[in-house]
Amino acid sequence: MSQAPALQKLLDELERLPGIGSKSAQRIAYWMMNTDSATVLRLAEAITEVKSTVHFCSRCFNYAEDDLCEICQSDRRDEGVICVVAEPRDIAAIERTGAFSGLYHVLGGELAPMEGIGPDELRIADLLRRLASEDVREIILATNPNVEGETTAAYIARLVKPLDITVSRLASGMPVGGELDFVDEVTLSRAIEARREL
């Protein structure tokens, strides 16, 4: 059964979104068709507004509407500690914990030479400029615990060590509520290495 051309165009565009397959695209499109026009217009306006007003913070490269993001503007943050993350969405995850009160630096990805992503494609030089111009005593490397994230963390650590700045890495290991026989070997070995005295 063929779709109306406008509906098919919407389905095609929705399927281009990350994590949206044909079934999800159909559910969203049919919801749009069956909901009131005001709701759909609000959604369209929100998409248009975010594209025209949100850009990268000039300091940390988080999403911002002003020159600096809200975190960089805050006078309640510890400016001596910078948490280095791959993407802005990682900041949201860390902020949800309420456990970190420093600043951030977004790399814009992780080293992946096979995909053509080297140090020049990331915001590593910007990080080094920040470390030279700001009074930073520690950076926390919060890249993903995968090959690319570990490579990125090791590369940055090598560059920062000579600057007399503490370099730390997020701890990794056993998930809370996990069972030993379901944990992979890498995670389990990390948990053993990062064990602490009780």
Side-chain angles (χ1 to χ4, degrees):
M1 179 175 77
S2 64
Q3 302 284 354
L7 182 55
Q8 187 59 53
K9 181 179 177 183
L10 176 60
L11 289 168
D12 292 342
E13 291 303 316
L14 289 171
E15 282 186 47
R16 293 171 45 136
L17 297 173
I20 303 292
S22 62
K23 294 284 187 196
S24 294
Q26 286 176 356
R27 279 194 297 276
I28 295 167
Y30 295 148
W31 170 83
M32 288 180 180
M33 294 298 300
N34 292 318
T35 196
D36 62 286
S37 294
T39 300
V40 175
L41 285 174
R42 279 195 311 273
L43 174 61
E45 287 169 4
I47 292 169
T48 303
E49 181 180 354
V50 79
K51 284 302 291 178
S52 64
T53 62
V54 177
H55 55 272
F56 290 119
C57 172
S58 65
R59 184 183 192 188
C60 75
F61 303 98
N62 186 14
Y63 294 127
E65 290 187 25
D66 297 320
D67 182 49
L68 296 177
C69 69
E70 291 183 7
I71 293 171
C72 286
Q73 289 181 40
S74 174
D75 58 1
R76 293 186 302 224
R77 306 299 290 215
D78 181 353
E79 295 190 359
V81 182
I82 295 177
C83 183
V84 178
V85 297
E87 300 291 346
R89 66 177 172 261
D90 301 329
I91 293 175
I94 294 170
E95 285 296 293
R96 280 194 302 271
T97 70
F100 180 69
S101 62
L103 299 178
Y104 293 92
H105 186 84
V106 180
L107 296 171
E110 294 171 327
L111 293 173
M114 300 298 284
E115 297 171 26
I117 303 172
D120 294 340
E121 284 69 46
L122 303 179
R123 296 187 189 101
I124 295 172
D126 296 299
L127 173 62
L128 296 175
R129 280 191 287 277
R130 280 186 74 183
L131 297 179
S133 65
E134 298 178 21
D135 189 20
V136 177
R137 62 183 185 279
E138 178 184 7
I139 67 164
I140 301 168
L141 299 172
T143 52
N144 291 309
N146 56 23
V147 172
E148 294 82 5
E150 293 295 333
T151 302
T152 305
Y155 180 81
I156 293 172
R158 262 195 323 275
L159 295 175
V160 175
K161 284 282 188 189
L163 304 178
D164 197 31
I165 295 172
T166 301
V167 178
S168 58
R169 179 93 168 106
L170 286 185
S172 58
M174 291 289 297
V176 174
E179 295 184 27
L180 285 176
D181 57 340
F182 290 111
V183 177
D184 65 275
E185 293 83 8
V186 174
T187 301
L188 194 51
S189 66
R190 285 264 175 87
I192 292 168
E193 291 167 10
R195 69 189 182 279
R196 59 188 172 86
E197 187 175 338
L198 297 177

